[in-house]
């Protein structure tokens, strides 16, 4: 019985303290000069909104740059290939982005250069990047490459070459191909893991 009375008294005291603290807080709030607080809140909201819009603009710019790099790669590497070959080239590019052995952006992968000891210079992973040529955006073949790039970038295309990070034309035999496992032949390209 004493225990129950003790715990009830304790609860009443705790409740009384909470009510008193709430009253003190309400009094302090009403007595407070709210002008500076309102200014700080408004400035904070403006800065947060500006930051959000700047981040959104940067993200959109990055997305468009990545799509352009992917579309150019599809165009120059597979524009004469069947649609499956164009999708395969886009998949290989995205597989490289996902791999730890390559840069982590699409443009980084497409424009990657490695030192070639035989030529004694840096060589691009995709040879078209060493050219100044760019297709017109009105070119039907480029618009098709852009559509392929969008499908792969946004995940609307079901990947068929999981893990494939290399390919070459069937009429050449690069030295690196000997150590890799071929996974598919699509059009005039052989794809490797």
């Amino acid at each position: 019985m004493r225990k129950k009375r003790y715990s009830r008294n304790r609860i009443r005291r705790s409740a009384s303290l909470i009510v008193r603290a709430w009253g003190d807080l309400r009094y302090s709030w009403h007595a407070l000069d709210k002008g500076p607080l309102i200014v700080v809140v408004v400035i904070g909201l403006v800065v947060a909104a500006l930051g959000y819009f700047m981040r959104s603009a940067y993200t959109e710019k990055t997305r468009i740059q990545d799509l352009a790099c992917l579309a150019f790669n599809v165009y120059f590497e597979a524009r004469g290939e069947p649609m499956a070959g164009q999708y395969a080239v886009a998949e290989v590019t995205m597989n490289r982005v996902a791999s730890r052995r390559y840069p982590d952006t699409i443009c980084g992968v497409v424009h990657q250069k490695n030192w070639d000891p035989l030529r004694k210079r840096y060589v691009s992973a995709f040879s078209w990047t060493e050219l100044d040529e760019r297709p017109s955006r009105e070119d039907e073949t480029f618009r098709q490459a852009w559509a392929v790039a969008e499908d792969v970038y946004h995940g609307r295309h079901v990947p068929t070459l999981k893990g494939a990070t290399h390919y070459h034309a069937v009429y050449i035999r690069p030295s690196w191909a000997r150590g890799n496992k071929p996974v598919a032949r699509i059009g005039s390209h052989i794809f490797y893991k």
Side-chain angles (χ1 to χ4, degrees), residues 84-144:
Q86 293 183 26
Y87 279 109
V89 166
E91 281 184 52
V92 165
T93 308
M94 296 304 284
N95 288 344
R96 284 186 176 199
V97 172
S99 172
R100 291 182 182 175
R101 297 182 311 185
Y102 298 94
D104 58 357
T105 65
I106 295 170
C107 290
V109 164
V110 169
H111 294 286
Q112 181 182 15
K113 293 186 177 204
N114 295 315
W115 180 256
D116 183 357
L118 295 175
R119 297 181 211 172
K120 294 187 173 138
R121 68 178 179 94
Y122 284 96
V123 178
S124 297
F126 300 102
S127 59
W128 69 265
T129 60
E130 295 181 7
L131 308 173
D132 290 332
E133 179 186 345
R134 294 292 181 267
S136 164
R137 294 196 184 248
E138 282 75 44
D139 181 356
E140 181 61 34
T141 310
F142 182 72
R143 284 201 306 251
Q144 181 178 328

Coordinates of all heavy atoms in Angstrom, one line a residue, residues 84-144:
A84 N 20.3 -4.0 -80.8 CA 20.9 -4.8 -79.7 C 22.3 -4.5 -79.5 O 22.8 -4.4 -78.4 CB 20.7 -6.3 -80.0
G85 N 23.1 -4.2 -80.6 CA 24.5 -3.8 -80.5 C 24.6 -2.5 -79.9 O 25.6 -2.2 -79.1
Q86 N 23.7 -1.5 -80.2 CA 23.8 -0.2 -79.6 C 23.5 -0.3 -78.1 O 24.2 0.4 -77.3 CB 22.8 0.7 -80.3 CG 23.2 1.0 -81.7 CD 22.3 2.0 -82.4 OE1 21.6 2.8 -81.8 NE2 22.2 1.9 -83.7
Y87 N 22.5 -1.1 -77.7 CA 22.2 -1.2 -76.3 C 23.4 -1.9 -75.6 O 23.7 -1.5 -74.4 CB 20.9 -2.1 -76.1 CG 19.7 -1.3 -76.2 CD1 18.8 -1.4 -77.3 CD2 19.3 -0.3 -75.3 CE1 17.7 -0.7 -77.5 CE2 18.2 0.4 -75.4 CZ 17.3 0.2 -76.5 OH 16.2 1.0 -76.6
A88 N 24.0 -2.8 -76.2 CA 25.2 -3.5 -75.6 C 26.3 -2.6 -75.3 O 26.9 -2.6 -74.3 CB 25.6 -4.7 -76.5
V89 N 26.6 -1.7 -76.3 CA 27.7 -0.7 -76.0 C 27.3 0.2 -74.9 O 28.2 0.5 -74.0 CB 27.9 0.1 -77.3 CG1 28.8 1.4 -77.0 CG2 28.6 -0.7 -78.4
A90 N 26.1 0.6 -74.8 CA 25.6 1.5 -73.7 C 25.7 0.7 -72.4 O 26.2 1.3 -71.3 CB 24.2 2.0 -73.9
E91 N 25.4 -0.6 -72.4 CA 25.5 -1.4 -71.2 C 26.9 -1.5 -70.7 O 27.2 -1.5 -69.5 CB 24.9 -2.8 -71.4 CG 23.4 -2.9 -71.4 CD 23.0 -4.3 -71.6 OE1 23.5 -5.2 -70.8 OE2 22.1 -4.6 -72.4
V92 N 27.8 -1.8 -71.6 CA 29.3 -1.9 -71.3 C 29.7 -0.6 -70.6 O 30.4 -0.6 -69.6 CB 30.1 -2.2 -72.5 CG1 31.6 -2.0 -72.2 CG2 29.9 -3.7 -72.9
T93 N 29.3 0.5 -71.2 CA 29.7 1.8 -70.6 C 29.2 1.9 -69.1 O 29.9 2.3 -68.2 CB 29.2 3.0 -71.4 OG1 29.5 2.8 -72.8 CG2 29.7 4.3 -70.9
M94 N 27.9 1.6 -68.9 CA 27.3 1.6 -67.6 C 28.0 0.6 -66.6 O 28.2 0.8 -65.4 CB 25.8 1.4 -67.6 CG 25.1 2.5 -68.4 SD 25.4 4.2 -67.8 CE 24.4 4.1 -66.3
N95 N 28.3 -0.6 -67.2 CA 29.0 -1.6 -66.4 C 30.4 -1.1 -65.9 O 30.8 -1.4 -64.8 CB 29.2 -2.9 -67.2 CG 27.9 -3.7 -67.4 OD1 26.9 -3.4 -66.7 ND2 27.9 -4.6 -68.3
R96 N 31.0 -0.3 -66.7 CA 32.3 0.3 -66.3 C 32.1 1.3 -65.2 O 32.9 1.4 -64.3 CB 33.0 0.9 -67.5 CG 33.7 -0.1 -68.5 CD 34.5 0.6 -69.5 NE 35.1 -0.4 -70.4 CZ 36.2 -0.1 -71.1 NH1 36.7 1.1 -71.2 NH2 36.8 -1.1 -71.8
V97 N 31.1 2.1 -65.3 CA 30.8 3.1 -64.3 C 30.5 2.3 -62.9 O 31.0 2.8 -61.9 CB 29.5 3.9 -64.6 CG1 29.1 4.8 -63.5 CG2 29.8 4.8 -65.9
A98 N 29.9 1.2 -63.0 CA 29.6 0.4 -61.8 C 30.8 -0.3 -61.2 O 30.9 -0.6 -60.0 CB 28.5 -0.6 -62.0
S99 N 31.8 -0.5 -62.1 CA 33.0 -1.2 -61.6 C 34.0 -0.3 -60.9 O 34.1 0.9 -61.2 CB 33.7 -1.8 -62.9 OG 35.0 -2.3 -62.5
R100 N 34.7 -0.9 -59.9 CA 35.7 -0.1 -59.2 C 36.9 0.2 -60.0 O 37.7 1.1 -59.6 CB 36.1 -0.8 -57.9 CG 35.0 -0.9 -56.9 CD 35.4 -1.6 -55.7 NE 34.4 -1.8 -54.7 CZ 34.4 -2.4 -53.6 NH1 35.5 -3.1 -53.3 NH2 33.4 -2.5 -52.8
R101 N 37.1 -0.5 -61.1 CA 38.4 -0.3 -61.8 C 38.3 0.9 -62.8 O 39.3 1.2 -63.5 CB 38.6 -1.6 -62.6 CG 38.9 -2.8 -61.8 CD 39.2 -4.0 -62.6 NE 38.3 -4.2 -63.6 CZ 38.3 -5.2 -64.4 NH1 39.2 -6.2 -64.3 NH2 37.4 -5.4 -65.4
Y102 N 37.1 1.5 -62.9 CA 37.0 2.6 -63.8 C 36.4 3.8 -63.1 O 36.0 3.7 -62.0 CB 36.0 2.2 -64.9 CG 36.5 1.0 -65.8 CD1 36.1 -0.3 -65.4 CD2 37.3 1.2 -66.8 CE1 36.6 -1.4 -66.2 CE2 37.8 0.1 -67.6 CZ 37.5 -1.1 -67.2 OH 37.9 -2.2 -67.9
P103 N 36.5 5.0 -63.8 CA 35.9 6.2 -63.1 C 34.4 6.0 -62.8 O 33.7 5.1 -63.3 CB 36.0 7.3 -64.2 CG 37.2 6.8 -65.0 CD 37.1 5.3 -65.0
D104 N 33.9 6.7 -61.8 CA 32.5 6.5 -61.4 C 31.5 7.4 -62.0 O 30.4 7.5 -61.5 CB 32.5 6.6 -59.8 CG 32.9 8.0 -59.3 OD1 33.4 8.8 -60.2 OD2 32.9 8.2 -58.1
T105 N 31.8 8.1 -63.1 CA 30.8 8.8 -63.9 C 30.9 8.3 -65.3 O 31.9 7.8 -65.8 CB 31.1 10.3 -63.8 OG1 32.4 10.6 -64.5 CG2 31.2 10.9 -62.4
I106 N 29.8 8.6 -66.0 CA 29.7 8.2 -67.4 C 30.7 8.9 -68.3 O 31.5 8.3 -69.0 CB 28.3 8.3 -68.0 CG1 27.3 7.4 -67.2 CG2 28.2 8.1 -69.5 CD1 25.9 7.6 -67.5
C107 N 30.8 10.2 -68.1 CA 31.8 11.0 -68.9 C 33.2 10.6 -68.5 O 34.1 10.6 -69.4 CB 31.5 12.5 -68.7 SG 30.0 13.1 -69.5
G108 N 33.4 10.3 -67.2 CA 34.7 9.9 -66.8 C 35.1 8.6 -67.5 O 36.3 8.4 -67.9
V109 N 34.2 7.6 -67.6 CA 34.5 6.4 -68.3 C 34.7 6.6 -69.8 O 35.7 6.1 -70.4 CB 33.3 5.4 -68.1 CG1 33.4 4.2 -69.1 CG2 33.3 4.8 -66.7
V110 N 33.8 7.4 -70.4 CA 33.9 7.6 -71.9 C 35.2 8.3 -72.3 O 35.9 8.0 -73.3 CB 32.7 8.4 -72.4 CG1 32.9 8.9 -73.8 CG2 31.4 7.5 -72.3
H111 N 35.7 9.3 -71.4 CA 36.8 10.1 -71.8 C 38.1 9.6 -71.0 O 39.1 10.3 -71.0 CB 36.6 11.6 -71.5 CG 35.5 12.1 -72.4 ND1 35.7 12.4 -73.7 CD2 34.2 12.4 -72.2 CE1 34.6 12.9 -74.3 NE2 33.7 12.9 -73.3
Q112 N 38.1 8.4 -70.4 CA 39.2 7.9 -69.7 C 40.4 7.7 -70.6 O 40.3 7.2 -71.8 CB 38.9 6.6 -69.0 CG 40.0 6.0 -68.2 CD 39.6 4.7 -67.6 OE1 38.7 4.0 -68.0 NE2 40.4 4.2 -66.7
K113 N 41.6 8.1 -70.2 CA 42.8 7.9 -70.9 C 43.8 7.1 -70.1 O 43.9 7.3 -68.9 CB 43.4 9.2 -71.3 CG 42.6 9.9 -72.4 CD 43.3 11.2 -72.9 CE 42.4 11.8 -73.9 NZ 43.1 12.7 -74.8
N114 N 44.5 6.2 -70.7 CA 45.5 5.4 -70.0 C 46.8 5.5 -70.8 O 46.9 5.7 -72.0 CB 45.1 3.9 -69.9 CG 43.9 3.7 -69.1 OD1 43.8 4.3 -68.0 ND2 42.9 2.9 -69.6
W115 N 47.9 5.3 -70.0 CA 49.2 5.4 -70.7 C 49.5 4.2 -71.5 O 49.3 3.0 -71.0 CB 50.3 5.6 -69.6 CG 51.7 5.7 -70.2 CD1 52.6 4.7 -70.2 CD2 52.3 6.8 -70.8 NE1 53.8 5.1 -70.8 CE2 53.6 6.4 -71.2 CE3 51.8 8.0 -71.2 CZ2 54.4 7.3 -71.9 CZ3 52.7 8.9 -71.8 CH2 53.9 8.5 -72.2
D116 N 49.9 4.4 -72.7 CA 50.3 3.3 -73.6 C 51.8 3.3 -73.8 O 52.3 4.2 -74.5 CB 49.6 3.4 -75.0 CG 49.9 2.3 -75.9 OD1 50.6 1.3 -75.6 OD2 49.3 2.2 -77.0
P117 N 52.5 2.3 -73.2 CA 54.0 2.3 -73.3 C 54.5 2.1 -74.7 O 55.6 2.6 -75.1 CB 54.4 1.1 -72.4 CG 53.2 0.3 -72.1 CD 52.0 1.2 -72.4
L118 N 53.7 1.4 -75.6 CA 54.2 1.2 -77.0 C 54.1 2.6 -77.7 O 55.0 2.9 -78.5 CB 53.3 0.2 -77.7 CG 53.4 -1.2 -77.1 CD1 52.4 -2.2 -77.8 CD2 54.9 -1.8 -77.3
R119 N 53.1 3.3 -77.6 CA 52.9 4.6 -78.3 C 53.6 5.7 -77.5 O 53.7 6.8 -78.1 CB 51.5 4.9 -78.5 CG 50.8 3.9 -79.4 CD 49.3 4.2 -79.6 NE 48.5 3.0 -79.8 CZ 47.2 3.0 -79.8 NH1 46.6 4.1 -79.7 NH2 46.6 1.9 -80.0
K120 N 53.9 5.5 -76.3 CA 54.5 6.5 -75.4 C 53.6 7.8 -75.3 O 54.1 8.9 -75.4 CB 55.9 6.8 -75.9 CG 56.8 5.7 -75.7 CD 58.3 6.0 -76.0 CE 59.1 4.8 -75.7 NZ 60.1 4.4 -76.4
R121 N 52.4 7.5 -75.1 CA 51.4 8.6 -74.9 C 50.1 8.1 -74.3 O 49.9 6.9 -74.2 CB 51.1 9.3 -76.2 CG 50.3 8.4 -77.2 CD 50.0 9.2 -78.5 NE 49.2 8.4 -79.4 CZ 47.9 8.4 -79.5 NH1 47.2 9.2 -78.8 NH2 47.3 7.7 -80.4
Y122 N 49.3 9.0 -73.8 CA 48.0 8.6 -73.3 C 47.1 8.2 -74.4 O 47.0 9.0 -75.4 CB 47.4 9.7 -72.4 CG 48.1 9.7 -71.0 CD1 49.1 10.6 -70.8 CD2 47.7 8.9 -70.0 CE1 49.7 10.7 -69.5 CE2 48.3 8.9 -68.8 CZ 49.3 9.8 -68.5 OH 49.9 9.8 -67.3
V123 N 46.3 7.2 -74.3 CA 45.4 6.7 -75.3 C 44.0 6.6 -74.7 O 43.9 6.1 -73.6 CB 45.9 5.3 -75.9 CG1 44.9 4.8 -76.9 CG2 47.2 5.4 -76.4
S124 N 43.0 7.0 -75.4 CA 41.7 7.0 -74.9 C 41.1 5.6 -75.0 O 41.5 4.8 -75.8 CB 40.8 7.9 -75.8 OG 41.2 9.2 -75.7
A125 N 40.2 5.3 -74.0 CA 39.6 4.0 -74.0 C 38.7 3.8 -75.2 O 38.6 2.7 -75.8 CB 38.8 3.8 -72.7
F126 N 38.0 4.9 -75.7 CA 37.2 4.9 -76.9 C 37.9 5.9 -77.8 O 37.9 7.1 -77.6 CB 35.8 5.3 -76.5 CG 35.1 4.4 -75.5 CD1 35.0 4.8 -74.2 CD2 34.6 3.2 -75.9 CE1 34.4 3.9 -73.3 CE2 34.0 2.3 -75.0 CZ 33.9 2.7 -73.7
S127 N 38.3 5.4 -79.0 CA 39.2 6.2 -79.9 C 38.4 7.4 -80.4 O 39.1 8.4 -80.7 CB 39.7 5.3 -81.0 OG 38.6 4.7 -81.7
W128 N 37.1 7.4 -80.5 CA 36.4 8.5 -81.1 C 36.6 9.8 -80.3 O 36.5 10.9 -80.8 CB 34.9 8.2 -81.3 CG 34.2 8.1 -80.0 CD1 33.9 7.0 -79.3 CD2 33.6 9.2 -79.2 NE1 33.2 7.2 -78.2 CE2 33.0 8.6 -78.1 CE3 33.6 10.6 -79.4 CZ2 32.4 9.4 -77.1 CZ3 32.9 11.3 -78.4 CH2 32.3 10.7 -77.3
T129 N 36.9 9.6 -79.0 CA 37.1 10.8 -78.1 C 38.3 11.6 -78.5 O 38.5 12.8 -78.0 CB 37.1 10.4 -76.6 OG1 38.3 9.5 -76.4 CG2 35.9 9.7 -76.2
E130 N 39.2 11.1 -79.3 CA 40.4 11.8 -79.7 C 40.1 12.6 -80.9 O 41.0 13.4 -81.4 CB 41.6 10.8 -79.9 CG 42.0 10.2 -78.6 CD 43.2 9.2 -78.8 OE1 43.8 9.2 -79.9 OE2 43.5 8.5 -77.8
L131 N 38.9 12.5 -81.5 CA 38.6 13.3 -82.7 C 37.8 14.5 -82.3 O 37.2 14.5 -81.2 CB 37.7 12.4 -83.6 CG 38.3 11.0 -84.0 CD1 37.2 10.2 -84.7 CD2 39.5 11.2 -84.8
D132 N 37.7 15.5 -83.1 CA 36.9 16.7 -82.8 C 35.5 16.6 -83.4 O 34.8 17.5 -83.3 CB 37.7 17.9 -83.4 CG 38.9 18.2 -82.6 OD1 38.9 17.9 -81.4 OD2 39.9 18.8 -83.2
E133 N 35.2 15.5 -84.1 CA 34.0 15.4 -84.8 C 32.8 15.2 -83.8 O 32.9 14.4 -82.8 CB 34.1 14.2 -85.7 CG 32.8 13.9 -86.5 CD 33.0 12.6 -87.3 OE1 34.1 12.1 -87.5 OE2 32.0 12.1 -87.7
R134 N 31.7 15.8 -84.0 CA 30.5 15.6 -83.2 C 29.3 15.6 -84.2 O 29.2 16.4 -85.1 CB 30.3 16.7 -82.2 CG 31.3 16.8 -81.1 CD 31.2 15.6 -80.2 NE 32.2 15.6 -79.1 CZ 33.4 15.0 -79.2 NH1 33.8 14.4 -80.2 NH2 34.2 15.1 -78.1
P135 N 28.4 14.7 -84.0 CA 27.2 14.7 -84.9 C 26.2 15.8 -84.6 O 26.2 16.4 -83.5 CB 26.6 13.3 -84.5 CG 26.9 13.1 -83.1 CD 28.3 13.7 -82.9
S136 N 25.4 16.1 -85.5 CA 24.3 17.1 -85.4 C 23.2 16.5 -84.5 O 22.9 15.3 -84.7 CB 23.8 17.5 -86.7 OG 22.5 18.1 -86.6
R137 N 22.6 17.2 -83.6 CA 21.6 16.7 -82.8 C 20.3 16.4 -83.6 O 19.4 15.8 -83.1 CB 21.3 17.7 -81.6 CG 22.4 17.7 -80.7 CD 22.1 18.3 -79.4 NE 23.2 18.5 -78.5 CZ 23.4 17.8 -77.4 NH1 22.5 16.9 -77.1 NH2 24.5 18.0 -76.7
E138 N 20.2 16.9 -84.8 CA 19.1 16.7 -85.7 C 19.3 15.4 -86.5 O 18.4 14.9 -87.1 CB 18.9 17.8 -86.7 CG 18.1 19.0 -86.0 CD 19.1 19.8 -85.1 OE1 20.2 20.1 -85.5 OE2 18.6 20.2 -84.0
D139 N 20.5 14.9 -86.5 CA 20.8 13.6 -87.2 C 19.9 12.5 -86.7 O 19.9 12.2 -85.4 CB 22.3 13.3 -87.1 CG 22.7 12.0 -87.8 OD1 21.9 11.3 -88.4 OD2 23.9 11.8 -87.8
E140 N 19.2 11.8 -87.5 CA 18.3 10.7 -87.1 C 19.1 9.6 -86.3 O 18.6 9.1 -85.3 CB 17.6 10.1 -88.3 CG 16.6 9.0 -87.9 CD 15.5 9.5 -87.0 OE1 15.0 10.6 -87.1 OE2 15.1 8.7 -86.2
T141 N 20.3 9.3 -86.8 CA 21.1 8.2 -86.2 C 21.5 8.7 -84.8 O 21.5 7.9 -83.8 CB 22.4 7.9 -87.0 OG1 22.0 7.7 -88.4 CG2 23.1 6.7 -86.5
F142 N 21.8 10.0 -84.6 CA 22.2 10.5 -83.3 C 21.0 10.5 -82.3 O 21.1 10.2 -81.2 CB 22.8 11.9 -83.3 CG 23.2 12.3 -82.0 CD1 24.3 11.8 -81.3 CD2 22.5 13.3 -81.3 CE1 24.7 12.2 -80.0 CE2 22.8 13.7 -80.0 CZ 23.9 13.2 -79.4
R143 N 19.8 10.8 -82.9 CA 18.6 10.8 -82.0 C 18.3 9.4 -81.6 O 17.9 9.2 -80.4 CB 17.4 11.4 -82.8 CG 17.5 12.9 -82.9 CD 16.1 13.5 -83.2 NE 15.5 13.0 -84.3 CZ 15.3 13.7 -85.5 NH1 15.8 14.9 -85.6 NH2 14.7 13.1 -86.5
Q144 N 18.6 8.4 -82.4 CA 18.4 7.0 -82.0 C 19.4 6.7 -80.9 O 19.0 6.0 -79.9 CB 18.5 6.1 -83.2 CG 18.3 4.6 -82.9 CD 18.4 3.8 -84.1 OE1 18.1 4.2 -85.2 NE2 18.9 2.6 -83.9

